[in-house]
């Protein structure tokens, strides 16, 4: 769409290698005028804390996405546009079908239903499914790192 082309053009003209939240604002504001006022980003419970081994870069990228979303949310505080960041737990999909049984995993159908429910509540952020991941997220952020590291295997 035109808004995305404008955003990319703005980024190129400033010779930025990375996008700042300000580059995204025109697209969000124009979409908001059209009636869509709820951008949603899908992060991960892995973003709640640094995890070891194969989860390190995944967790870092999802944490970066969550913080980018929060920055955009901060820029849009006094507008009707509300940004939501979702932190899903283990949802069984084709991406993780080769993995063994994951703790507290839910099927893709249950996960999708929980994501829709969370979006409809319109929170700034939410752990999905709410139970048990809200409590797990709290502990991930507050327990000593050696304990949390064990979650990464």
């Amino acid at each position: 769409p035109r808004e995305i082309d404008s955003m990319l053009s703005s980024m190129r003209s400033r010779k930025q290698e990375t996008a700042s939240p300000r580059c995204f604002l025109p697209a969000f504001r124009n979409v908001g005028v059209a009636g869509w006022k709820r951008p949603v980003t899908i992060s991960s419970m892995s973003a709640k804390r640094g995890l070891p081994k194969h989860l390190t870069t995944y967790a870092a990228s999802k944490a970066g996405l969550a913080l980018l979303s929060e920055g955009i949310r901060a820029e849009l505080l006094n507008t009707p546009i509300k940004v939501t960041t979702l932190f899903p737990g283990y949802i069984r999909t084709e991406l993780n079908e080769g993995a063994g049984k994951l703790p507290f995993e839910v099927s893709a159908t249950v996960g999708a239903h929980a994501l829709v429910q969370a979006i409809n509540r319109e929170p700034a952020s939410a752990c999905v499914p709410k139970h048990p991941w809200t409590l797990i997220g709290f502990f991930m952020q507050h327990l000593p790192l050696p304990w949390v590291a064990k979650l990464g295997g």
Side-chain angles (χ1 to χ4, degrees):
R2 189 174 61 235
E3 291 86 7
I4 302 298
D5 290 338
S6 172
M7 178 181 63
L8 292 173
S9 174
S10 171
M11 288 168 58
R12 282 188 210 106
S13 69
R14 294 182 193 152
K15 298 184 182 190
Q16 293 177 323
E17 292 182 19
T18 58
S20 75
R22 290 203 174 272
C23 293
F24 295 100
L25 295 179
F28 283 131
R29 286 193 177 111
N30 288 337
V31 168
V33 169
W36 183 67
K37 297 181 170 117
R38 199 73 191 160
V40 176
T41 59
I42 308 293
S43 182
S44 169
M45 288 302 298
S46 298
K48 297 288 186 176
R49 193 75 182 266
L51 296 172
K53 301 179 185 172
H54 65 284
L55 291 174
T56 301
T57 53
Y58 178 78
S61 67
K62 290 299 192 170
L65 174 63
L67 291 174
L68 175 64
S69 299
E70 186 173 48
I72 294 169
R73 185 179 312 115
E75 290 280 349
L76 298 171
L77 278 176
N78 296 316
T79 75
I81 302 167
K82 306 301 176 202
V83 179
T84 292
T85 305
L86 298 179
F87 296 89
Y90 294 125
I91 298 173
R92 183 59 69 173
T93 68
E94 63 277 357
L95 293 175
N96 59 20
E97 66 188 356
K101 176 88 171 125
L102 302 167
F104 307 109
E105 78 175 38
V106 296
S107 69
T109 302
V110 170
H113 183 70
L115 289 165
V116 169
Q117 283 182 322
I119 292 167
N120 287 338
R121 285 194 312 269
E122 299 186 352
S125 66
C127 297
V128 179
K130 185 176 183 176
H131 303 291
W133 292 103
T134 300
L135 185 61
I136 292 170
F138 174 83
F139 285 121
M140 285 179 73
Q141 291 176 301
H142 294 92
L143 287 174
L145 185 58
W147 294 10
V148 175
K150 289 180 183 178
L151 297 173

